[in-house]
Structure formats: C-alpha cells, structure tokens
Amino acid sequence: MSDCLFCKIIAGEIPANVVLRDHGFVAFHDINPKAPVHILVVPERHVVSIADVAELSETERAAMGPFIARVAAAAGVESGGYRVATNAGPNARQEIMHLHWHVLGGALLSQSM
Ligand code: AMP
C-alpha cells in the first residue's frame, strides 16, 4: 500500500534495521524501543491488523508463529523469555495500520500490557 510506512520499509524505500526476512515476513528493530530488545514482525503483504489475518494466505498464517519464534531466538531472548503482542484498532492504540507483532525482551518486563 503506497502510503503505508511499514510497506515502505518492506520495499526498502525507508531504512530500517532488519533482523530477519523469510517466508513473507520481515523483522526489524522498533525505532522507539520499549525494552532492551524490541523487534517488530510484519507480513510483507499489507494487512491492517490481526482482525484481517484471513487476508494472509494459509502458508503465511502457518509461517507467522514459527517466524516470530525464530526472531526471538535470533535476538537472543529465547532463554530469558519474551513478550509477543499486537495492537488492533483505536482502543489498543494501534498507530501503524499494517499488522505487526511486537517482540519484547532482554529484561524483566512491566506487568502492564
Ligand atoms: P503500534 O502502536 O502497535 O501501532 O506500534 C507501532 C510501532 O511502530 C511503535 O512501537 C513505533 O515505535 C514503531 N515505529 C514507528 N515508526 C517506525 C520506523 N520508521 N521504524 C521502526 N519502527 C517504527
């Protein structure tokens, strides 16, 4: 989608610190990290939020969870533990309207979600 920030990152039009790219997903560091490790995982296909996950192919849906786990392992937070979260819609304060998973770790995280 032409006016989507994350689509521009995926296309390489806007720079990002990419960690991993595979199976239709890209992982890159959050520009404003809320934890020592804060990585965003996005599908290359533009999907607004988890509410629209049916717009991903079956293959993409199957790859999504394992890809997130691979990103956490690659970031070195697997043994210590990490949080995976996604915001959908205004009550969740979703800012970027392209499905993304926050992968947070590297320290004891706050109890609030
Ligand atoms: P959300 O509130 O779930 O939509 O989260 C959007 C996330 O995108 C926030 O954590 C932002 O810090 C992050 N973000 C915004 N712009 C960029 C960017 N250019 N590169 C990396 N992360 C970004």
Side-chain angles (χ1 to χ4, degrees):
M1 186 179 262
S2 60
D3 62 348
C4 170
L5 175 68
F6 286 175
C7 283
K8 288 179 179 163
I9 287 176
I10 291 159
E13 294 166 11
I14 290 179
N17 189 351
V18 173
V19 177
L20 207 59
R21 182 174 205 134
D22 207 359
H23 296 299
F25 290 86
V26 181
F28 53 91
H29 287 275
D30 195 292
I31 205 167
N32 181 22
K34 282 88 180 174
V37 171
H38 186 173
I39 295 169
L40 301 174
V41 172
V42 303
E44 289 179 340
R45 187 194 302 271
H46 182 86
V47 171
V48 172
S49 79
I50 191 69
D52 305 295
V53 73
E55 293 173 18
L56 294 178
S57 70
E58 201 173 317
T59 306
E60 288 164 332
R61 288 197 300 274
M64 192 161 59
F67 181 81
I68 292 167
R70 268 178 68 201
V71 167
V77 296
E78 192 178 42
S79 60
Y82 55 95
R83 179 176 291 158
V84 178
T86 189
N87 295 318
N91 280 357
R93 301 178 187 271
Q94 182 181 3
E95 289 174 12
I96 309 290
M97 296 300 142
H98 183 129
L99 170 62
H100 53 282
W101 297 90
H102 297 259
V103 179
L104 299 140
L108 187 61
L109 301 174
S110 70
Q111 286 182 318
S112 62
M113 287 287 293

